Amino acid sequence: RETLNRGGWETSYMRDYLTHTIKGYIPAELRNVIVPVVKKSSSGAGTNNVSDIVETIDELWTPALIEMVNEYTDVPIYAGEGNTYEWFDVDEALANERRIKKQSDGNATRYWLRTPVSYQTSEYQLIGSNGENVNIYVSYSKQGVVFGFCVGTK
């Protein structure tokens, strides 16, 4: 795959990987109650135009920047991807602490978001090991993956 964010989440390798690989590792009891939801995402390619937000139907997804970080509500392309989850819509220090994810060895790790950097064609947003938002070149390897899903009745 190319190392650009053109197409955004909708055409990303990560979306394909979660859907066709990771989902199969989820125990059947849980997998059978995961329900699809509509996710909004920028189409990437350096756009700042809210009309370039696309909707996908996903059972597994990586979070959008706005879902994790409530300080970008004034940036239309980011705000167009949804709302900050209540768990992260708290003061900055607590939100950073809640966003920190650790590996099995106890070390905090960075992880991908589905939000392309609005002014770049080759970067995606991610959450740093300190819980703060950063962006990084898309082909940079070995970032963590945190995914979400919704449970309900089908």
Side-chain angles (χ1 to χ4, degrees), residues 15-79:
R15 181 172 183 244
D16 185 66
Y17 181 71
L18 289 174
T19 300
H20 297 103
T21 303
I22 296 300
K23 185 178 174 192
Y25 289 109
I26 297 173
E29 308 83 51
L30 179 56
R31 190 173 57 243
N32 291 336
V33 295
I34 293 175
V35 295
V37 296
V38 174
K39 286 296 174 185
K40 297 179 179 181
S41 306
S42 165
S43 61
T47 186
N48 278 308
N49 192 337
V50 177
S51 67
D52 291 327
I53 296 286
V54 296
E55 291 184 349
T56 56
I57 297 175
D58 295 295
E59 291 184 331
L60 303 179
W61 63 87
T62 56
L65 176 62
I66 195 69
E67 292 170 341
M68 301 286 287
V69 182
N70 65 5
E71 62 191 69
Y72 294 96
T73 56
D74 61 338
V75 181
I77 194 69
Y78 296 150

Side-chain angles (χ1 to χ4, degrees), residues 82-144:
N83 298 302
T84 305
Y85 293 137
E86 185 177 334
W87 180 251
F88 301 109
D89 197 11
V90 294
D91 71 81
E92 186 177 348
L94 180 57
N96 284 349
E97 181 181 318
R98 288 178 172 180
R99 285 189 293 263
I100 293 172
K101 302 301 175 224
K102 296 186 178 181
Q103 301 175 71
S104 59
D105 64 6
N107 290 320
T109 188
R110 300 189 291 188
Y111 55 93
W112 294 108
L113 299 176
R114 73 172 184 270
T115 304
V117 175
S118 66
Y119 54 87
Q120 294 288 332
T121 59
S122 61
E123 295 180 354
Y124 276 87
Q125 301 284 348
L126 59 82
I127 297 297
S129 58
N130 61 359
E132 294 181 355
N133 157 251
V134 296
N135 53 49
I136 196 157
Y137 187 68
V138 74
S139 65
Y140 188 82
S141 61
K142 297 198 178 186
Q143 302 304 324

